[in-house]
Amino acid sequence: MHSLKLLKEMQSKVERQQSALARLQKQLQVGTKPEKINGSTTGKQVPLTDKDKVRIEKEITILSNNNQIL
């Protein structure tokens, strides 16, 4: 019973990571991100900065490596 719960938690983690990876790849491809004002996301898209692109590429690398391990 305990191993079933652990398996479901692992599947959820993998699904979240795959979803995040797809979202980041699309964001990098499109070149925009959701605008944030006072910590809240608006419906407006703003261009990615060079710093954003570097951060997203790093995150993609980490998530890709994690998916290869699992």
Side-chain angles (χ1 to χ4, degrees):
M1 189 71 158
H2 180 64
S3 60
L4 183 59
K5 182 179 178 185
L6 185 61
L7 181 62
K8 286 185 181 183
E9 288 174 2
M10 288 291 293
Q11 287 174 332
S12 293
K13 179 181 178 181
V14 170
E15 289 170 4
R16 282 193 313 273
Q17 287 179 342
Q18 289 173 341
S19 175
L21 179 60
R23 191 170 44 254
L24 288 169
Q25 288 170 330
K26 183 176 181 185
Q27 199 175 56
L28 193 59
Q29 180 182 9
V30 173
T32 61
K33 65 179 181 179
E35 179 182 48
K36 277 192 172 183
I37 296 177
N38 297 327
S40 296
T41 307
T42 67
K44 184 179 175 186
Q45 295 289 315
V46 295
L48 293 173
T49 64
D50 289 338
K51 190 174 178 180
D52 289 329
K53 291 175 186 176
V54 169
R55 177 187 51 80
I56 290 171
E57 288 170 355
K58 263 186 182 177
E59 291 179 25
I60 288 172
T61 300
I62 291 167
L63 288 169
S64 295
N65 289 340
N66 286 347
N67 284 333
Q68 289 175 0
I69 293 170
L70 300 175

